[in-house]
């Protein structure tokens, strides 16, 4: 007796030799495979090879397409991100410009220093990212630039102290400004002592000394001190300097 | 062979998917960065902030904006011209007093000339020059 099969679709019973259910036409899987094998047998050898090869590599093309789409997406997003960041953060471009025009910029820095416009010189260095430029043109400023930066910070914070609002309704940051000034003043002297030992060029050494002199004069002019008081003030610790300045500005 | 190729492709797809997600997050972050930069610029350029500082004679804070902006360029950014002029006047007036005390006539003259030009360029904010001069005269 022939093996009977129950159709998965309609539930009818039919002979296993049949390819499809005689009632609803649903294919019987083992029979389908036989049908396929029969068809394959009928094909030529090269056609069979083509079909098997296509079967074997089915899915690789789809994977390659997904991969290409992902790579394109990554490239597009990277370009967009770079554009968004680069548009606002042009530090690297400024640095490259400084490297390119190092000769001109170094001359300009010398002009500021000759004029005694040390604050302007430091501003120029910040604006052109000269602190991190590698050009050898800037090597000659390696000592003076550190002293100038501390001088710049001292002047900046003295300005904040002197030109603060005296309006009681305005938020007063005098304590912070005094504290910052004292910190930068101590740093100035540390850097000044260290760099003047290293500076070989008398011209730049003279600028450093001039900055030191100007700071002392500024303290005399703005903090109502004489030479002895300035000397005494400079010998104080950072905290005591702060207390002394708060006394000067009528806080204690 | 084909099985190995498929496994290799699957691994590549997983790696690419991870990079894709990271890139997506990075790109979203870059748009946030742009937005924050725009908001920051808009906040800073509010003239009312400058007016507020000016009304309280807080020249120290006007100078602060000037110093911060100067880290990125020597020229006044668009919309900052008035802040720039007042701050520059404040700075040079401060320095002029030091040169005067030092007895450095050359630098004092150069500073005075610069102050004159700046004062003439202050326009509606000429009173700021008088305030700064007074603050310097009365220090400490």
């Amino acid at each position: 007796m022939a093996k009977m099969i129950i159709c998965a679709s309609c539930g009818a019973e039919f002979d296993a030799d049949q390819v499809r259910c005689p009632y609803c036409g649903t294919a019987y899987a083992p029979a389908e495979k036989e049908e396929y094998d029969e068809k394959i047998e009928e094909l030529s050898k090269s056609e069979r090879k083509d079909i098997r090869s296509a079967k074997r590599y089915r899915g690789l093309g789809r994977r390659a397409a997904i991969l290409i789409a992902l790579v394109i997406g990554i490239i597009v997003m990277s370009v967009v991100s770079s554009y968004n960041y680069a548009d606002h953060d042009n530090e690297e471009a400024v640095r490259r410009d400084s490297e390119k025009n190092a000769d001109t910029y170094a001359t300009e820095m010398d002009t500021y220093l000759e004029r005694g416009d040390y604050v302007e010189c430091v501003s120029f260095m910040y604006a052109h990212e000269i602190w991190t430029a590698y050009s050898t043109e800037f090597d000659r400023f390696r000592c003076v630039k550190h002293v100038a930066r501390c001088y710049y910070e001292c002047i900046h914070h003295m300005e904040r102290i002197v030109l603060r609002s005296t309006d009681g309704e305005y938020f007063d940051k005098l304590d912070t400004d005094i504290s910052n000034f004292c910190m930068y003043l101590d740093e100035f002297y540390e850097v000044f002592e260290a760099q003047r030992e290293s500076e070989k060029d008398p011209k730049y050494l003279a600028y450093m000394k001039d900055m030191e002199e100007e700071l002392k004069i500024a303290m005399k002019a703005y903090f109502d001190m004489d030479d002895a008081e300035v000397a005494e003030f400079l010998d104080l610790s950072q905290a005591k300097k702060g207390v002394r300045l708060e006394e000067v500005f009528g806080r204690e | 062979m084909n099985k190995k190729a498929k496994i290799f492709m699957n691994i590549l797809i997983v790696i690419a998917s991870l990079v894709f997600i990271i890139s997506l997050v990075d790109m979203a972050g870059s748009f946030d960065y742009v937005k924050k930069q725009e908001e920051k610029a808009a906040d800073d350029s509010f003239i009312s902030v400058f007016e507020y500082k000016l009304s309280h004679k807080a020249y120290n804070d006007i100078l602060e904006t000037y110093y911060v902006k100067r880290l990125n360029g020597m020229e006044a950014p668009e919309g900052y011209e008035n802040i720039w002029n007042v701050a520059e006047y404040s700075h040079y007036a401060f320095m002029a007093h030091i040169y005067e005390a030092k007895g450095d006539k050359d630098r004092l003259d150069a500073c005075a000339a610069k102050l004159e030009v700046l004062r003439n360029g202050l326009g509606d904010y000429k009173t700021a020059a008088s305030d700064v001069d007074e603050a310097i005269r009365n220090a400490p």
Side-chain angles (χ1 to χ4, degrees):
Chain A
M1 189 182 166
K3 191 184 171 190
M4 298 300 282
I5 299 290
I6 295 169
C7 176
S9 180
C10 68
E13 204 169 296
F14 62 91
D15 195 333
D17 292 340
Q18 292 194 54
V19 173
R20 295 177 187 280
C21 170
Y23 303 98
C24 67
T26 304
Y28 166 48
E32 251 188 344
K33 187 178 181 312
E34 278 171 26
E35 193 179 28
Y36 170 81
D37 287 342
E38 277 166 19
K39 278 180 186 169
I40 285 283
E41 283 301 318
E42 285 165 14
L43 295 169
S44 67
K45 199 178 176 185
S46 65
E47 283 171 326
R48 278 203 300 259
K49 198 177 170 189
D50 287 346
I51 290 170
R52 284 193 181 116
S53 168
K55 201 180 166 192
R56 191 179 298 144
Y57 292 104
R58 190 174 58 198
L60 268 183
R62 202 170 49 209
R63 283 174 173 83
I66 292 169
L67 195 62
I68 290 168
L70 284 170
V71 170
I72 291 171
I74 291 165
I75 293 169
V76 169
M77 286 189 292
S78 301
V79 169
V80 172
S81 299
S82 306
Y83 175 79
N84 283 344
Y85 284 123
D87 196 25
H88 301 279
D89 183 10
N90 61 350
E91 268 180 34
E92 195 48 46
V94 173
R95 196 174 296 120
R96 275 200 299 272
D97 173 68
S98 295
E99 300 286 355
K100 199 175 151 191
N101 300 300
D103 187 29
T104 317
Y105 290 171
T107 309
E108 201 156 340
M109 281 169 66
D110 268 328
T111 310
Y112 286 127
L113 290 172
E114 277 164 32
R115 285 209 310 249
D117 212 341
Y118 309 121
V119 169
E120 201 73 356
C121 182
V122 174
S123 290
F124 184 83
M125 289 181 79
Y126 276 123
H128 294 281
E129 295 288 339
I130 289 171
W131 302 101
T132 46
Y134 301 112
S135 175
T136 51
E137 288 290 338
F138 302 119
D139 282 357
R140 60 181 186 268
F141 304 106
R142 67 184 177 281
C143 294
V144 74
K145 72 178 182 185
H146 296 298
V147 180
R149 185 189 60 82
C150 295
Y151 168 90
Y152 165 96
E153 293 294 351
C154 288
I155 292 291
H156 172 193
H157 287 95
M158 277 183 99
E159 284 176 342
R160 287 197 55 85
I161 293 168
V162 173
L163 295 172
R164 73 193 186 283
S165 171
T166 49
D167 190 336
E169 286 180 15
Y170 192 82
F171 179 61
D172 186 9
K173 289 183 278 187
L174 181 63
D175 296 349
T176 314
D177 294 332
I178 285 176
S179 168
N180 285 335
F181 170 73
C182 295
M183 182 182 76
Y184 282 114
L185 187 65
D186 282 1
E187 192 184 335
F188 174 87
Y189 275 97
E190 268 177 42
V191 173
F192 174 66
E193 293 301 334
Q195 299 298 336
R196 75 170 172 181
E197 297 294 323
S198 313
E199 183 59 73
K200 301 282 181 276
D201 191 327
K203 184 173 75 173
Y204 296 118
L205 189 61
Y207 296 145
M208 291 183 193
K209 287 179 179 169
D210 190 42
M211 286 180 220
E212 195 240 347
E213 189 194 349
E214 272 185 17
L215 280 184
K216 282 182 176 169
I217 290 167
M219 284 188 272
K220 285 198 286 182
Y222 286 115
F223 298 159
D224 196 23
M225 293 175 179
D226 58 26
D227 286 327
E229 283 172 324
V230 168
E232 189 190 333
F233 177 73
L234 290 175
D235 282 339
L236 295 174
S237 67
Q238 198 175 309
K240 284 183 178 171
K241 280 189 183 83
V243 173
R244 173 80 174 85
L245 284 186
E246 285 185 359
E247 283 170 7
V248 171
F249 289 94
R251 279 299 185 86
E252 295 209 346
Chain B
M1 175 65 194
N2 65 315
K3 203 172 180 183
K4 281 181 184 172
K6 281 178 186 174
I7 292 169
F8 180 67
M9 290 290 269
N10 286 347
I11 293 169
L12 283 183
I13 289 170
V14 169
I15 294 169
S17 302
L18 290 174
V19 177
F20 185 88
I21 292 165
I22 293 167
S23 301
L24 196 68
V25 171
D26 187 48
M27 190 175 72
S30 75
F31 283 112
D32 275 353
Y33 177 80
V34 171
K35 201 177 166 189
K36 275 179 193 164
Q37 291 290 322
E38 283 170 0
E39 281 172 4
K40 198 178 161 198
D43 284 350
D44 288 353
S45 61
F46 274 149
I47 198 72
S48 58
V49 177
F50 170 58
E51 297 284 359
Y52 174 76
K53 289 173 183 173
L54 208 60
S55 68
H56 289 279
K57 298 182 182 179
Y59 295 100
N60 55 346
D61 284 344
I62 292 171
L63 265 163
E64 192 63 41
T65 307
Y66 168 75
Y67 273 105
V68 170
K69 291 288 168 195
R70 273 208 131 196
L71 297 175
N72 299 320
M74 301 291 279
E75 300 298 321
E78 202 182 325
Y80 286 84
E81 292 81 3
N82 291 326
I83 299 170
W84 211 262
N85 288 342
V86 171
E88 271 201 328
Y89 184 90
S90 307
H91 171 65
Y92 281 102
F94 183 89
M95 294 309 293
H97 191 51
I98 298 175
Y99 298 145
E100 192 182 356
K102 192 181 176 186
D104 191 334
K105 197 176 175 306
D106 290 345
R107 285 192 213 172
L108 181 62
D109 289 347
C111 226
K114 178 109 185 164
L115 283 170
E116 189 60 32
V117 173
L118 287 168
R119 188 193 291 269
N120 292 334
L122 284 174
D124 295 341
Y125 301 103
K126 273 209 168 97
T127 49
S130 312
D131 291 340
V132 169
D133 291 342
E134 194 187 335
I136 286 171
R137 235 188 349 263
N138 296 334

